[in-house]
Amino acid sequence: MIYLRLFAAFMKIGFTSFGGMSMIPVIMQEMKVNQWMTAEDLTNLIAIAEMTPGPLGINCATFAGMQTAGVLGGIASVMGVLMPAYTLTLGVAVCFAKFRGNDIMSCMLDVIKPICIAMILAVILNLMQENYFPNARIDWFGCGIGIVMFYLILKRNWSVPKVITLAAVLGMVGYGVLGMA
Amino acid sequence: MKKEKIKNGLMLFAFFFKIGCFTFGGGWSILAQMEQEFVDKKKLITKEELLDMVAVGKSVPGIMITNISMLFGYYVGGWFGGVCAVLGMTCPAVLILSFVTAFYKVLKSNVWCYAALRGIRCAVVPIMGSAALSLGKEAFRKKMAVPICAVALVLCVFTDISNVLMIVAGIILALSVRAVKKAKGGQMA
């Protein structure tokens, strides 16, 4: 059943990431393996999840689940992604005082974090190919948008909603009005 | 269930629902709002306790902010409070995204929206890149982090290894290194 499969997939995603961007690579792989979404939809998913309020992981789960199997699919995915909070974290909350001095989790995180960064970098490489070099051509306009946005985020501390708004306007002007391919 | 517990649960649900509606940019801005409401105004919790919850919430797998909501909800109102807090945090996101997703197909087939989406897609790489950079700043302080990251990147790019498998392998590696270190420490003593 599709709902159970979505639930199981997002539970796996929840337990193997620590929120935010670190969920994206795992989500992408699950979506591709199960052929639930195309690469283009996946990039849009990141954009939409960043544009809407709320935690990124929950936004991604809702969007991906709904795209795949409607409202119930969305709910199943969100429930799946919340499973670590409902099981592990509840358990930790019960013995909060004991857990504070424990170093097992931090020792695991020391390894998981670099792996997650590598996974994000791999996704970035993949997306660069798809967004800046579509169909083995160079999209000069797209590269330009990418470089400008990178500068604005890193050097000017622009917030993500602002960056996305500007990119949307540039996209409309460049691809819509000027008709760049 | 006691009346007070239900009241606490509802209060938690309402607060996290409100936060969930207006928060862009994830965890950290939500924490600032929690501090304002529960440390400064309601004095339910001290700042140190909240920081401890953040440290623990970050080190449990899953979405950081829902983990923190769970820890905080449990502290205030037991398991019922925890469940209410997490649901409150989740509901707005689900509602808003349901709305967006319902219109997604229409948006995508509109020429202007498609052009805008294409522009936005070009901004996704810089957004992810800056997230990776700020994660790296924290993670790469440990000296083993760089080689681990390099090996993982090579595996990601050149093999079809599943991400989940890679993380599980990483956890096993970390735990065995820790066990070996402990055993050695024990012999010395």
Side-chain angles (χ1 to χ4, degrees):
Chain A
M1 203 169 105
I2 184 79
Y3 304 119
L4 274 179
R5 278 173 57 207
L6 276 170
F7 177 81
F10 274 93
M11 191 164 85
K12 214 158 79 180
I13 292 165
F15 274 109
T16 48
S17 57
F18 55 95
M21 276 297 169
S22 74
M23 312 193 100
I24 301 285
V26 199
I27 292 181
M28 288 191 130
Q29 205 164 44
E30 284 293 320
M31 291 291 126
K32 269 189 189 156
V33 168
N34 290 298
Q35 297 187 320
W36 283 331
M37 280 168 97
T38 64
E40 197 191 298
D41 283 335
L42 279 167
T43 324
N44 289 339
L45 167 129
I46 303 171
I48 287 170
E50 286 276 9
M51 269 190 291
T52 41
L56 188 73
I58 292 174
N59 293 351
C60 283
T62 315
F63 184 77
M66 274 191 72
Q67 275 287 302
T68 313
V71 176
L72 280 177
I75 292 173
S77 307
V78 171
M79 284 301 142
V81 94
L82 286 179
M83 279 322 271
Y86 281 140
T87 55
L88 217 59
T89 316
L90 184 58
V92 169
V94 175
C95 42
F96 185 55
K98 258 192 212 160
F99 189 82
R100 246 187 270 188
N102 198 318
D103 69 324
I104 289 189
M105 280 293 176
S106 71
C107 155
M108 273 162 47
L109 270 179
D110 285 346
V111 177
I112 296 177
K113 276 195 182 161
I115 296 181
C116 281
I117 293 172
M119 283 167 16
I120 296 174
L121 290 177
V123 169
I124 290 177
L125 287 176
N126 193 349
L127 288 182
M128 278 172 90
Q129 200 181 354
E130 240 143 58
N131 293 325
Y132 303 133
F133 308 102
N135 314 319
R137 273 183 322 101
I138 303 178
D139 178 356
W140 290 106
F141 189 68
C143 291
I145 294 184
I147 292 166
V148 171
M149 295 307 153
F150 205 55
Y151 169 78
L152 288 174
I153 296 172
L154 284 186
K155 297 286 168 201
R156 301 265 146 167
N157 282 324
W158 273 40
S159 66
V160 170
K162 247 166 109 183
V163 166
I164 287 181
T165 313
L166 181 63
V169 173
L170 286 177
M172 264 194 240
V173 173
Y175 298 115
V177 181
L178 302 176
M180 297 208 200
Chain B
M1 215 181 288
K2 272 191 225 142
K3 232 182 174 176
E4 199 184 338
K5 251 191 167 176
I6 297 177
K7 215 182 102 195
N8 264 337
L10 287 179
M11 183 273 286
L12 285 164
F13 183 87
F15 175 76
F16 282 101
F17 190 93
K18 199 179 75 193
I19 291 191
C21 285
F22 297 106
T23 313
F24 290 92
W28 298 108
S29 56
I30 296 175
L31 276 175
Q33 291 181 63
M34 279 176 72
E35 196 188 324
Q36 218 177 32
E37 177 84 10
F38 294 119
V39 178
D40 299 340
K41 248 191 183 159
K42 292 204 168 132
K43 301 205 190 315
L44 278 173
I45 180 176
T46 66
K47 200 174 171 191
E48 285 71 43
E49 281 169 319
L50 186 63
L51 283 178
D52 276 344
M53 282 179 190
V54 174
V56 174
K58 263 170 75 178
S59 57
V60 182
I63 303 165
M64 179 185 88
I65 197 65
T66 54
N67 289 340
I68 295 172
S69 311
M70 176 55 97
L71 288 168
F72 180 77
Y74 184 86
Y75 182 89
V76 176
W79 67 268
F80 181 71
V83 171
C84 285
V86 172
L87 280 183
M89 171 64 76
T90 317
C91 277
V94 173
L95 289 175
I96 294 167
L97 261 292
S98 308
F99 190 73
V100 173
T101 317
F103 286 100
Y104 176 64
K105 281 212 176 85
V106 185
L107 284 178
K108 226 175 76 170
S109 56
N110 177 296
V111 181
W112 293 104
C113 290
Y114 188 80
L117 271 176
R118 208 172 146 188
I120 291 171
R121 278 211 298 278
C122 295
V124 166
V125 165
I127 290 170
M128 289 189 77
S130 64
L133 275 180
S134 65
L135 276 175
K137 248 184 230 161
E138 200 195 321
F140 288 156
R141 264 185 237 143
K142 299 265 178 344
K143 66 172 189 274
M144 277 312 288
V146 178
I148 292 173
C149 182
V151 171
L153 184 60
V154 169
L155 284 175
C156 277
V157 175
F158 295 107
T159 69
D160 281 336
I161 187 170
S162 123
N163 286 334
V164 173
L165 185 76
M166 206 156 63
I167 296 219
V168 172
I171 292 174
I172 294 172
L173 183 81
L175 291 181
S176 35
V177 168
R178 182 174 176 274
V180 168
K181 265 191 191 158
K182 270 223 163 142
K184 269 190 186 164
Q187 275 170 6
M188 302 266 250

